Amino acid sequence: MIVILKPNPNRDQLDSLIAWLQEKGVVIHTSVGEHSTILGLVGDTSQLDADLIAALDIVEGVRRIQEPYKKANRKFHPEDTVVQVGNTQVGGGNLTLMAGPCSVESEEQVVAIAKAVKASGATLLRGGAFKPRTSPYSFQGLGAMGLEFLKVARQETGLPIVTELMDMSQLPLFKDVDLIQIGARNMQNFDLLKAVGQQDKPVMIKRGMSATYEEWLMSAEYVMAGGNPNVILCERGVRTFETYTRNTLDITAIPVLRKLTHLPIIIDPSHAAGKSWLVDPLARGAVAAGCDGLLIEVHNDPATALCDGPQSLRPEVFDTLARKLLTLHETMKTLEG
Amino acid sequence: MIVILKPNPNRDQLDSLIAWLQEKGVVIHTSVGEHSTILGLVGDTSQLDADLIAALDIVEGVRRIQEPYKKANRKFHPEDTVVQVGNTQVGGGNLTLMAGPCSVESEEQVVAIAKAVKASGATLLRGGAFKPRTSPYSFQGLGAMGLEFLKVARQETGLPIVTELMDMSQLPLFKDVDLIQIGARNMQNFDLLKAVGQQDKPVMIKRGMSATYEEWLMSAEYVMAGGNPNVILCERGVRTFETYTRNTLDITAIPVLRKLTHLPIIIDPSHAAGKSWLVDPLARGAVAAGCDGLLIEVHNDPATALCDGPQSLRPEVFDTLARKLLTLHETMKTLEG
Amino acid sequence: MIVILKPNPNRDQLDSLIAWLQEKGVVIHTSVGEHSTILGLVGDTSQLDADLIAALDIVEGVRRIQEPYKKANRKFHPEDTVVQVGNTQVGGGNLTLMAGPCSVESEEQVVAIAKAVKASGATLLRGGAFKPRTSPYSFQGLGAMGLEFLKVARQETGLPIVTELMDMSQLPLFKDVDLIQIGARNMQNFDLLKAVGQQDKPVMIKRGMSATYEEWLMSAEYVMAGGNPNVILCERGVRTFETYTRNTLDITAIPVLRKLTHLPIIIDPSHAAGKSWLVDPLARGAVAAGCDGLLIEVHNDPATALCDGPQSLRPEVFDTLARKLLTLHETMKTLEG
Amino acid sequence: MIVILKPNPNRDQLDSLIAWLQEKGVVIHTSVGEHSTILGLVGDTSQLDADLIAALDIVEGVRRIQEPYKKANRKFHPEDTVVQVGNTQVGGGNLTLMAGPCSVESEEQVVAIAKAVKASGATLLRGGAFKPRTSPYSFQGLGAMGLEFLKVARQETGLPIVTELMDMSQLPLFKDVDLIQIGARNMQNFDLLKAVGQQDKPVMIKRGMSATYEEWLMSAEYVMAGGNPNVILCERGVRTFETYTRNTLDITAIPVLRKLTHLPIIIDPSHAAGKSWLVDPLARGAVAAGCDGLLIEVHNDPATALCDGPQSLRPEVFDTLARKLLTLHETMKTLEG
């Protein structure tokens, strides 16, 4: 951490700052310049509050040098993390296809879709039972019954299931779920992150709509700090000024996160675009850029889906896409050596 | 609602759309143009899912005409809502000053600050007991004990208290709080909004960091739809590309919300700016633009505050500011006639 | 265009609005609902000023139905435009690689790089002679001499050249350039757009840093309205809240523009990322998503480049990447059928 | 400037970096920590290219300490700059009201509006002759004839005139204009900035739609580096996700710029909001927050204005507002002591 002092700092205040920093076990290197004096703080600065130091009268500014996350940081954990989800593995060179309906609507629906997507190559079944909806007047999901239908579909197909947890009070219902999804709107619901950090199921954290990489990784850090190392990151588009699409998919997240963290990276082209005809090109781009998997909405009757129909693919369209993506993934492996 | 059809729509699909809309009790006016046909839907269109209709093969686009919120909508509730909070009223021509520390740190601290801000003209005491922090390694608040210290301060000063609720599991602890704050990061934590909608304490909803006015009002609608009409809105800055300040305060929210809704509007210049020296000019601007009140951080020792010190005012600085703001509010009343 | 009237509009004002609209040759369909009356305007509404109508006392709002661009609109020009640039074609199924240094520094430098990138498969040479720099104290480019060096490199390699025009006063110097680039900061420099619309060299328009697709297409429309149909669009990242990268590359632009317009779409991963190690994965993603070409910075000594060194690839790195991208492009053609 | 080295940097590369920095006249302080080594560069670092250093193999990152602007920087010019514009002064405690039509439409129109706004207290007449319009099919302004009408209005009222310059080729026509406006879309048209820097008329630079304070001040620096110290800054709203208003007015710019620079700060509430009924509350907020003046659109017949009608005030509405703002400005002076 670097502390830039204002010109001619009050000597007493400077001495008391230095004493306080030394007490924290930090070694201080001082550089005196013509216009400003700089303190270089060396040691474990993670417990220092940069904002607090910046607020001191004698301080012009503070610059952080180290990332504020540790357990999620590739620097301290160089190997890729591979997360075991039921009978499948996320990360480690696989291309994981998670597919299924936005909302679970009935046992028949989810079983039929599960069978279809499995046949196309999906290895995880997604489906919403508890649904975050902008309007209190919209369909809020089947809740506990939706979870039961997902379990039936798992029994019929063997596909592990991933579904969204919206509040920690629902956690007991999720003890039989294979992968817990934290939605974009809850990315900084810190109590929820703590709760899933204190249990042992894998957790997939969607990026908040206007979150930076660092904020997202700090949310992963919350879960990991609680003792749960099985975290997957899912990019689902960020908010930009463009209104033609619902959000703007950020594929740069793939190589950047690959460098910053060891956690697997999944891409959700369905929610990012909000339009089914964009899922195919975005999924292709994400695979070519090196993601570990995709989360894709598939519905047997998108036009009458209870939610998010516009972005769902019919099973036959998903089938063509899935085969193309798996081939592309193999090609990329060859090209990348 | 307006439905724009693609050129030469399939006749059968069009008939089935029209039949389905009529079944919903909607009257349809058709305008046939050279390039496109337009359906004007008249009646209660609030239960129609615009995205679903937009997903149909024959539909080019859908334009909503009416706001999706009702209980929060001034069109259906023309008079200003005045919210009773303990012994004070928010809205209705008052300028409410809510002041206090970011975090409750000790009984002595919060009582001392409460006495000071009351003497300066504040009518509500703010203070955080449960704190949303970006890092799991930062101080997370005193929790239940912090609430107890706030109650002591209320007893000593008579000031009603406002504090943040982070998870519905904490709700039993809040039964003696006067005003429940929902933080910006929880603005779309829909389960939490439902929970505070089903109890009767007033609720102050902070705007999400990148939320639109409509999304914010839909969050108010969640609380009101649950049966709780006592909602206050609090603007605390939106995220922009500017990194000099923490966020960018949006004072346009004041006149726009005044038109769209009947709910009171509070401004938080402390969190918006993240720098104490900006609180004064921003608070002045907000009062002149017509807000119902301000939420201001005051700390007796900002440089050693456990969180958010940089944006806190010392009690003597708040005293000068509070007097200035109350005078300015009176001037504005005179000028606005 | 749809005009939504306020409840109980003043009858005289409504009559005068209707008369004025009819005078403009527009046919009006009126839908009277319980809460609002809607006017559906049919005919050529492109010359109506929506904002002007929205400002009338009796009007609640206006919704546009048609895109405001025509010449750039695929609806009125269904076939892909292929732009001839010197001896090469942009669009039409090719993958065009435009490569070269950010800034032209010397004849030797640009000739050497031109030879290298040609050998790797590039078909256009890029290089900046006039440079837009944020600081007046930074290197501003070699100007006219830089253009001369580019021409020498063209003579030596046969590669057509693309370089940025910053002001219309420089246009006479560009009469021997093959493709004129309009930079992101000048995307809405309307006088410059008009000037390049009135000459016949092809023009490549970079997307403004926070421009929407529609604003970008309107800039293409400016050039085309002047009589020059040879326009290429270049996505180079949009501004988001992420500060880790310079900008965020928007590959969704590829399929969306493919639908909205017939113009070729080039992707610039170098400027988007601002970091050379991100160029490879972003370029792969862009090719897989279906772009017509890439604009890539190549420098023989990035660490001492006079500008933008951090994002330049060494020729040998570009060589590997170019071969990979051309193979990937062939694979995509096979996969897409 | 601070250079953070990667762990175990190559010794030869480090020596060559240090030699190169010393050659530039910079003094280097080295701090060796457990995880990283930090170089503190002291002296005139303004000519060092931070991005270039950041691109070196051995460098992890670079942090700037000093602002990149000098002439616009209050640190090196502590007193407020007061800009003489014709017979009036901008800055120095005045509240300057610049008012007039968005577009000059006829001599009668602009003379009538000029007389009205002068009577209400305006001291500068604004009016557009060359108009930046998003669509090539919209009215582009009266051009040179519009400038003539503005001069007639000046002759009739004595009000100095401010109008927008869009391209340096128009500069000869502007030799009789009192204040040259650079529009938001041209804020980074560097050739235009250089051109107005090399002449001596005062220049008002509008903030780009998504520009940071630093980028805006760098544009002022371009003009000042050319030799013209008479620069005024004008905030006109930044782009946010909110679509209810055209842009979001950033009043935080007022106190922040007051600290960073000595140049006067004008606020344009008309363009920011895009709705006439928002001009009053936003203008009040801006005056209370301490701006040096306002730029307000006034039109005698907003509903038939050739452009931007929706945000124009009628003269009688402006009259009430102007008196209110001047009173508020006096009150603020008293309150601020």
Side-chain angles (χ1 to χ4, degrees):
Chain A
M1 192 179 285
I2 299 293
V3 178
I4 305 134
L5 300 177
K6 286 182 187 160
N8 308 314
N10 177 292
R11 195 65 233 174
D12 286 350
Q13 291 183 30
L14 179 54
D15 288 345
S16 100
L17 170 61
I18 288 174
W20 180 76
L21 288 169
Q22 284 170 336
E23 210 172 276
K24 298 272 184 182
V26 166
V27 176
I28 303 167
H29 293 258
T30 307
S31 306
V32 181
E34 201 179 347
H35 293 299
S36 55
T37 295
I38 292 164
L39 307 181
L41 310 189
V42 175
D44 181 11
T45 57
S46 64
Q47 91 286 15
L48 295 178
D49 185 335
D51 288 340
L52 181 58
I53 298 170
L56 297 172
D57 279 350
I58 57 171
V59 173
E60 170 95 18
V62 173
R63 304 284 187 280
R64 272 207 340 236
I65 305 296
Q66 285 168 322
E67 296 87 5
Y69 47 91
K70 293 176 186 173
K71 292 178 187 292
N73 197 330
R74 190 180 280 274
K75 275 190 195 152
F76 306 118
H77 186 302
E79 323 76 50
D80 282 353
T81 284
V82 179
V83 178
Q84 185 76 36
V85 179
N87 55 15
T88 193
Q89 291 191 319
V90 180
N94 295 314
L95 184 72
T96 299
L97 299 181
M98 308 182 180
C102 171
S103 251
V104 174
E105 294 165 27
S106 69
E107 188 180 309
E108 297 70 39
Q109 173 233 23
V110 71
V111 170
I113 295 175
K115 286 179 176 169
V117 300
K118 186 184 181 187
S120 302
T123 51
L124 263 160
L125 173 65
R126 58 150 293 160
F130 296 92
K131 300 296 306 172
R133 303 301 306 273
T134 311
S135 167
Y137 310 122
S138 297
F139 173 62
Q140 310 276 319
L142 291 183
M145 189 181 296
L147 292 182
E148 292 309 311
F149 294 160
L150 281 168
K151 289 180 206 166
V152 174
R154 176 176 57 192
Q155 202 167 17
E156 298 274 324
T157 60
L159 292 178
I161 53 180
V162 49
T163 191
E164 180 169 352
L165 173 72
M166 284 179 63
D167 189 88
M168 67 161 94
S169 63
Q170 299 148 358
L171 206 41
L173 296 168
F174 279 63
K175 70 172 190 293
D176 209 22
V177 160
D178 300 290
L179 175 59
I180 296 175
Q181 178 177 311
I182 300 296
R185 289 180 179 80
N186 275 323
M187 192 199 85
Q188 292 195 321
N189 180 339
F190 301 118
D191 283 327
L192 188 61
L193 296 173
K194 285 179 195 171
V196 296
Q198 281 154 15
Q199 53 89 57
D200 61 1
K201 295 214 166 301
V203 176
M204 181 163 72
I205 305 177
K206 291 195 135 188
R207 182 183 186 179
M209 257 185 302
S210 62
T212 62
Y213 301 142
E214 188 172 297
E215 289 167 337
W216 191 10
L217 288 169
M218 287 308 285
S219 293
E221 189 79 8
Y222 255 98
V223 176
M224 299 173 89
N228 185 347
N230 299 306
V231 176
I232 297 169
L233 299 167
C234 178
E235 154 70 26
R236 40 75 74 207
V238 291
R239 196 165 256 199
T240 65
F241 301 133
E242 185 55 61
T243 56
Y244 188 87
T245 49
R246 184 191 293 173
N247 287 115
T248 296
L249 185 69
D250 173 19
I251 64 160
T252 310
I254 302 168
V256 170
L257 289 179
R258 195 68 82 207
K259 185 186 177 83
L260 299 179
T261 187
H262 49 88
L263 301 172
I265 306 146
I266 300 295
I267 296 288
D268 176 353
S270 304
H271 272 85
K275 295 181 194 287
S276 62
W277 58 273
L278 288 170
V279 173
D280 185 323
L282 295 183
R284 282 185 266 142
V287 170
C291 69
D292 292 302
L294 293 150
L295 183 67
I296 295 181
E297 279 190 22
V298 176
H299 197 284
N300 42 14
D301 187 5
T304 61
L306 288 174
C307 84
D308 281 339
Q311 72 212 24
S312 290
L313 302 183
R314 291 178 189 280
E316 59 273 25
V317 175
F318 175 72
D319 188 63
T320 307
L321 176 59
R323 288 171 202 284
K324 190 160 56 180
L325 296 177
L326 291 166
T327 304
L328 177 57
H329 183 242
E330 290 307 312
T331 304
M332 295 316 301
K333 273 193 191 166
T334 314
L335 285 175
E336 293 296 301
Chain B
M1 194 180 285
I2 299 291
V3 178
I4 304 134
L5 300 178
K6 286 183 186 158
N8 308 315
N10 176 291
R11 194 64 233 176
D12 286 350
Q13 291 182 30
L14 180 55
D15 288 345
S16 100
L17 170 62
I18 288 174
W20 180 75
L21 289 169
Q22 284 171 335
E23 209 171 277
K24 299 272 184 182
V26 166
V27 176
I28 303 166
H29 294 258
T30 308
S31 306
V32 181
E34 201 179 344
H35 294 299
S36 58
T37 295
I38 291 164
L39 308 181
L41 310 189
V42 174
D44 181 10
T45 57
S46 65
Q47 90 286 15
L48 296 178
D49 185 335
D51 288 339
L52 182 58
I53 297 172
L56 297 172
D57 279 350
I58 57 171
V59 173
E60 170 95 19
V62 172
R63 303 284 187 281
R64 274 206 339 236
I65 305 297
Q66 283 168 324
E67 296 87 6
Y69 46 91
K70 293 176 186 172
K71 291 178 188 291
N73 197 329
R74 190 179 280 276
K75 277 191 192 150
F76 307 119
H77 186 302
E79 323 78 49
D80 282 353
T81 283
V82 178
V83 178
Q84 186 76 36
V85 179
N87 58 14
T88 192
Q89 291 191 320
V90 179
N94 294 314
L95 183 72
T96 299
L97 299 181
M98 307 180 180
C102 170
S103 252
V104 173
E105 294 164 28
S106 69
E107 188 180 309
E108 298 68 41
Q109 172 233 27
V110 70
V111 169
I113 296 175
K115 285 179 175 169
V117 301
K118 186 183 182 186
S120 301
T123 52
L124 263 158
L125 173 65
R126 60 149 293 162
F130 295 92
K131 300 295 305 173
R133 303 302 304 276
T134 309
S135 168
Y137 310 120
S138 297
F139 173 60
Q140 310 275 321
L142 292 183
M145 189 181 298
L147 293 182
E148 291 310 309
F149 294 159
L150 282 169
K151 288 179 205 165
V152 173
R154 176 175 58 191
Q155 202 166 17
E156 297 275 325
T157 60
L159 292 179
I161 54 180
V162 51
T163 192
E164 180 170 351
L165 174 71
M166 285 181 61
D167 189 88
M168 67 161 92
S169 62
Q170 300 149 356
L171 206 41
L173 295 170
F174 278 63
K175 69 173 193 293
D176 208 22
V177 160
D178 299 290
L179 175 60
I180 296 174
Q181 179 177 311
I182 301 296
R185 291 179 179 80
N186 276 321
M187 192 200 87
Q188 293 195 321
N189 179 339
F190 300 118
D191 283 326
L192 188 61
L193 296 173
K194 284 179 194 171
V196 296
Q198 280 153 17
Q199 53 87 59
D200 61 0
K201 295 216 166 300
V203 176
M204 181 162 74
I205 305 176
K206 290 196 136 186
R207 182 183 187 178
M209 258 184 303
S210 63
T212 63
Y213 300 142
E214 190 174 292
E215 289 168 336
W216 190 12
L217 288 170
M218 287 308 286
S219 293
E221 189 79 10
Y222 254 96
V223 177
M224 299 173 89
N228 185 347
N230 298 307
V231 176
I232 297 168
L233 299 166
C234 178
E235 154 71 24
R236 40 75 75 208
V238 291
R239 195 165 258 199
T240 66
F241 301 133
E242 186 54 61
T243 56
Y244 188 88
T245 50
R246 182 190 295 173
N247 288 115
T248 297
L249 185 69
D250 173 19
I251 65 160
T252 310
I254 301 168
V256 169
L257 289 178
R258 195 67 84 207
K259 185 186 177 83
L260 299 179
T261 186
H262 49 89
L263 301 172
I265 305 146
I266 300 295
I267 296 289
D268 175 352
S270 303
H271 273 85
K275 293 180 194 289
S276 63
W277 57 273
L278 287 170
V279 172
D280 184 322
L282 295 182
R284 284 185 264 140
V287 169
C291 68
D292 292 303
L294 293 150
L295 183 68
I296 295 179
E297 278 189 22
V298 177
H299 196 284
N300 41 14
D301 187 4
T304 62
L306 288 174
C307 84
D308 281 341
Q311 70 212 25
S312 290
L313 303 182
R314 290 177 190 281
E316 59 273 24
V317 175
F318 175 72
D319 188 63
T320 307
L321 175 60
R323 288 171 203 285
K324 191 161 56 178
L325 296 177
L326 292 165
T327 305
L328 177 56
H329 183 242
E330 289 308 311
T331 304
M332 295 316 301
K333 274 193 189 167
T334 314
L335 285 174
E336 293 297 300
Chain C
M1 194 180 284
I2 300 291
V3 178
I4 305 136
L5 300 177
K6 284 182 188 160
N8 309 312
N10 176 292
R11 194 65 233 175
D12 287 351
Q13 292 183 29
L14 180 54
D15 289 345
S16 100
L17 169 62
I18 287 173
W20 180 76
L21 288 169
Q22 284 170 336
E23 211 172 275
K24 299 273 183 181
V26 166
V27 177
I28 303 167
H29 294 259
T30 308
S31 306
V32 181
E34 203 179 343
H35 294 298
S36 57
T37 294
I38 292 164
L39 307 182
L41 310 188
V42 175
D44 182 10
T45 56
S46 65
Q47 91 286 14
L48 295 178
D49 185 335
D51 288 339
L52 182 57
I53 298 171
L56 297 172
D57 280 350
I58 57 170
V59 173
E60 170 94 18
V62 173
R63 303 284 186 283
R64 274 206 339 237
I65 305 296
Q66 284 167 323
E67 296 87 5
Y69 47 91
K70 292 176 186 173
K71 292 178 189 290
N73 197 330
R74 190 179 279 275
K75 277 192 193 149
F76 306 119
H77 186 302
E79 322 76 50
D80 281 353
T81 284
V82 179
V83 178
Q84 185 75 37
V85 179
N87 57 14
T88 192
Q89 292 191 320
V90 180
N94 295 315
L95 183 73
T96 299
L97 299 182
M98 309 182 178
C102 170
S103 251
V104 174
E105 293 164 29
S106 70
E107 189 181 308
E108 297 69 40
Q109 172 232 26
V110 71
V111 169
I113 295 175
K115 287 179 175 169
V117 300
K118 187 185 181 187
S120 302
T123 51
L124 264 159
L125 173 66
R126 58 150 294 161
F130 296 92
K131 300 295 306 172
R133 304 302 306 273
T134 310
S135 167
Y137 309 121
S138 298
F139 173 62
Q140 311 275 318
L142 292 182
M145 187 180 298
L147 293 181
E148 291 310 310
F149 295 160
L150 281 169
K151 289 180 206 164
V152 173
R154 176 175 57 193
Q155 203 165 17
E156 298 275 324
T157 59
L159 292 179
I161 53 180
V162 50
T163 191
E164 179 169 352
L165 173 72
M166 284 180 63
D167 189 87
M168 67 160 93
S169 63
Q170 300 149 355
L171 207 40
L173 296 170
F174 278 64
K175 69 173 191 294
D176 208 21
V177 160
D178 300 288
L179 174 59
I180 296 174
Q181 179 177 311
I182 301 295
R185 290 180 179 79
N186 275 324
M187 192 199 86
Q188 292 195 320
N189 181 338
F190 300 118
D191 282 328
L192 188 61
L193 296 174
K194 285 179 195 170
V196 296
Q198 280 154 17
Q199 54 87 58
D200 60 2
K201 295 214 167 301
V203 177
M204 181 163 72
I205 305 176
K206 290 197 136 189
R207 182 183 187 179
M209 257 184 303
S210 62
T212 62
Y213 301 141
E214 189 173 294
E215 288 167 338
W216 191 11
L217 288 169
M218 287 309 286
S219 293
E221 189 79 9
Y222 254 97
V223 177
M224 300 173 88
N228 185 348
N230 298 306
V231 176
I232 297 169
L233 299 167
C234 179
E235 154 70 24
R236 40 76 73 208
V238 291
R239 196 165 257 199
T240 65
F241 300 131
E242 186 53 62
T243 56
Y244 188 88
T245 50
R246 184 191 293 172
N247 287 116
T248 297
L249 185 69
D250 173 20
I251 64 160
T252 311
I254 302 167
V256 169
L257 289 178
R258 195 68 82 207
K259 185 185 177 85
L260 298 179
T261 186
H262 48 88
L263 300 172
I265 305 146
I266 300 295
I267 296 289
D268 176 352
S270 303
H271 272 85
K275 294 181 194 289
S276 62
W277 58 273
L278 286 170
V279 173
D280 185 323
L282 295 183
R284 283 183 265 141
V287 170
C291 69
D292 291 303
L294 293 150
L295 184 68
I296 295 180
E297 279 189 22
V298 177
H299 196 283
N300 42 13
D301 188 5
T304 62
L306 288 173
C307 83
D308 281 340
Q311 72 213 23
S312 290
L313 302 183
R314 291 178 189 280
E316 60 273 24
V317 176
F318 175 71
D319 188 63
T320 307
L321 175 59
R323 289 170 202 285
K324 190 160 56 178
L325 296 177
L326 291 165
T327 304
L328 177 57
H329 184 241
E330 289 308 311
T331 304
M332 295 316 301
K333 272 193 190 167
T334 314
L335 285 176
E336 293 297 301
Chain D
M1 193 179 288
I2 298 292
V3 178
I4 304 136
L5 300 177
K6 286 183 188 158
N8 308 314
N10 176 292
R11 194 66 232 177
D12 285 351
Q13 291 183 30
L14 180 55
D15 287 345
S16 100
L17 170 61
I18 288 174
W20 180 75
L21 288 169
Q22 284 170 336
E23 209 171 277
K24 299 272 183 182
V26 166
V27 176
I28 302 168
H29 294 259
T30 307
S31 307
V32 181
E34 201 180 346
H35 294 299
S36 56
T37 294
I38 292 164
L39 308 181
L41 311 188
V42 175
D44 181 11
T45 58
S46 65
Q47 91 286 15
L48 295 178
D49 186 334
D51 288 340
L52 182 56
I53 298 170
L56 297 172
D57 280 349
I58 55 171
V59 173
E60 169 97 20
V62 172
R63 303 283 186 284
R64 274 205 342 237
I65 305 296
Q66 282 169 325
E67 296 87 7
Y69 47 90
K70 294 175 186 174
K71 291 178 188 291
N73 197 330
R74 190 179 281 273
K75 277 190 193 150
F76 306 118
H77 186 302
E79 324 75 51
D80 282 352
T81 283
V82 179
V83 178
Q84 186 75 37
V85 179
N87 58 13
T88 192
Q89 291 191 321
V90 179
N94 294 315
L95 184 73
T96 299
L97 299 181
M98 310 182 177
C102 170
S103 250
V104 174
E105 293 164 28
S106 70
E107 187 179 311
E108 298 70 38
Q109 173 233 26
V110 70
V111 169
I113 295 175
K115 286 178 175 169
V117 300
K118 186 184 183 187
S120 302
T123 52
L124 263 159
L125 174 64
R126 58 151 293 162
F130 296 91
K131 299 297 303 173
R133 304 301 305 275
T134 310
S135 169
Y137 309 121
S138 297
F139 173 62
Q140 310 275 319
L142 292 182
M145 188 180 299
L147 293 181
E148 291 310 310
F149 295 160
L150 280 169
K151 289 179 206 165
V152 174
R154 176 174 58 191
Q155 203 166 18
E156 297 275 325
T157 60
L159 292 179
I161 54 181
V162 50
T163 191
E164 180 169 350
L165 173 72
M166 284 180 62
D167 189 88
M168 67 160 93
S169 62
Q170 299 149 357
L171 206 41
L173 296 169
F174 278 63
K175 68 172 193 293
D176 209 21
V177 160
D178 300 289
L179 175 60
I180 296 174
Q181 179 177 310
I182 301 295
R185 289 179 180 81
N186 276 323
M187 191 199 86
Q188 292 195 321
N189 180 338
F190 300 118
D191 282 326
L192 188 60
L193 296 174
K194 285 178 195 171
V196 297
Q198 280 153 17
Q199 53 89 57
D200 61 0
K201 296 216 166 297
V203 177
M204 180 163 73
I205 305 176
K206 289 197 137 187
R207 181 183 187 179
M209 258 185 303
S210 61
T212 61
Y213 300 142
E214 189 173 294
E215 289 167 337
W216 190 11
L217 289 169
M218 287 309 285
S219 293
E221 189 79 10
Y222 254 97
V223 177
M224 299 172 89
N228 185 347
N230 298 307
V231 176
I232 298 168
L233 299 166
C234 179
E235 153 71 26
R236 39 75 74 209
V238 292
R239 196 165 257 199
T240 65
F241 301 132
E242 185 54 61
T243 56
Y244 188 88
T245 49
R246 183 191 295 174
N247 288 116
T248 296
L249 185 68
D250 173 20
I251 64 160
T252 311
I254 302 167
V256 170
L257 290 178
R258 194 69 82 207
K259 184 186 178 84
L260 299 180
T261 186
H262 49 88
L263 301 171
I265 306 146
I266 300 295
I267 296 288
D268 176 353
S270 302
H271 273 84
K275 295 179 193 290
S276 62
W277 58 273
L278 286 170
V279 172
D280 184 323
L282 295 183
R284 282 184 265 141
V287 170
C291 68
D292 291 303
L294 293 149
L295 183 68
I296 294 180
E297 279 190 21
V298 176
H299 197 284
N300 43 14
D301 187 5
T304 62
L306 288 174
C307 83
D308 281 340
Q311 73 212 26
S312 289
L313 302 182
R314 291 176 189 282
E316 59 272 24
V317 175
F318 176 72
D319 188 64
T320 306
L321 175 60
R323 289 172 202 285
K324 191 160 55 179
L325 295 177
L326 292 165
T327 305
L328 177 58
H329 183 240
E330 290 308 312
T331 303
M332 295 316 301
K333 273 193 191 166
T334 314
L335 285 175
E336 294 296 300

